[in-house]
Amino acid sequence: MDKEKMLSNPKETIRVIQENNFTFRKSYGQNFLIDSHVLDKIVSAAEIDSETEVLEIGPGIGTLTQYLAEAAKAVTAVEIDDKLIPILEKTLAEYDNVRVIHGDILKQDIASIFEGRHFKIVANLPYYITTPIIMSLLESRVPADSITVMIQKEVAERMMASPGSKDYGALSLAVQFYAEPYIAANVPPNCFMPRPNVGSAVIRLKRLETPPVQVRDEKLMFSLIRAAFNQRRKTLANAVKNFEGLSYSREEVETAIRSIGLDERIRGEAMSLEEFAKLADAL
Ligand code: SAM
């Protein structure tokens, strides 16, 4: 498609919005991209080529979808807002490699859409549900090769954080258990319409074939992690003692902490993924 006619041209976005009497829904986290450099950057960070199949979450009026359709073999886009479906039919009419599904991404059986074929996930995510979407994709071990998404900058930094930093928490550990995160770009609010109140970043999560640590009971490890960061000012032993679903006494946790060579007064925020895995095994 002629670049001037693409939705990355802000005049085109305004025209489509006005002609269709579209009103932005804050409750759906609608901030549409209007910057061609950022769109190119997302496509290159995701390493899309003519062999790639893509799942796009939340196509909006189809801005990123047009860029993906130009570069990829095929694009499947899942959009929740019924008002956007007839608009997408028009803005994507030129592309015969795009399929739009009307629905909630959290309720889709993603694996069945691709029937065993390789695919990548790409999105400018609705910020109000970034963490639930990412966690549900990772925990369900969605078979995507990578996930490249625009998210709030602060959330991207939490995903990348290491022990001891203020951003380090349950999200960092969960993301790093399943994937290798990499921030490909920082994006200012003026690249969107309407402008969000926060800075954004493009992050790529490359799925790890095998987790970076071995643990016998993954569920227990993630419960310990949630307990640790639920009350991050407490020692880990105290935080675990009060956490629902875990039935260990403070003494039991302290003994297990000592048995893996750590100080019994340690807080979760100082512990690495490997140490949480060892502790789960010791318990
Ligand atoms: N991709 C477009 C772009 O970059 O201009 C729009 C991105 S906008 C930040 C997020 C989009 O996700 C909106 O179109 C919104 O309606 C859609 N959305 C919100 N919640 C959703 C959900 N649970 N499932 C699918 N789409 C959703």
Side-chain angles (χ1 to χ4, degrees), residues 22 25 27-34 39 42 56-65 78-81 84 103-106 123-129 133 192-193:
F22 177 76
R25 287 210 214 175
S27 58
Y28 281 151
Q30 292 175 339
N31 300 94
F32 299 162
L33 274 164
I34 47 164
L39 288 150
I42 297 173
E56 189 194 359
I57 301 167
I61 56 171
T63 316
L64 176 57
T65 327
V78 178
E79 173 57 57
I80 199 168
D81 186 349
L84 287 168
D104 180 343
I105 191 64
L106 292 172
N124 168 19
L125 282 181
Y127 292 174
Y128 77 108
I129 46 165
I133 290 178
F192 301 85
M193 185 188 295

Side-chain angles (χ1 to χ4, degrees), residues 84 117 194 242 257 262-263:
L84 287 168
R117 299 185 309 276
N242 298 320
I257 293 175
L262 295 176
D263 186 318

Side-chain angles (χ1 to χ4, degrees), residues 46 48 52-57 105 110-112 114-122 134 136-149 178-180 204-209:
I48 307 292
T52 319
E53 288 198 44
V54 179
L55 171 70
E56 189 194 359
I57 301 167
I105 191 64
I110 295 170
S112 77
F114 293 93
E115 296 173 330
R117 299 185 309 276
H118 280 270
F119 68 100
K120 293 178 174 173
I121 296 177
V122 183
I134 296 284
S136 112
L137 295 173
L138 294 174
E139 281 174 359
S140 67
R141 291 207 154 81
V142 69
D145 297 335
S146 62
I147 302 174
T148 304
V149 283
Y178 296 108
E180 188 189 332
R204 188 190 67 199
L205 307 176
K206 215 171 193 167
R207 186 161 69 107
L208 293 169
E209 288 305 324

Side-chain angles (χ1 to χ4, degrees), residues 209-221:
E209 288 305 324
T210 46
V213 297
Q214 294 295 317
V215 58
R216 279 201 295 276
D217 186 346
E218 249 173 57
K219 242 180 107 187
L220 172 60
M221 180 181 76

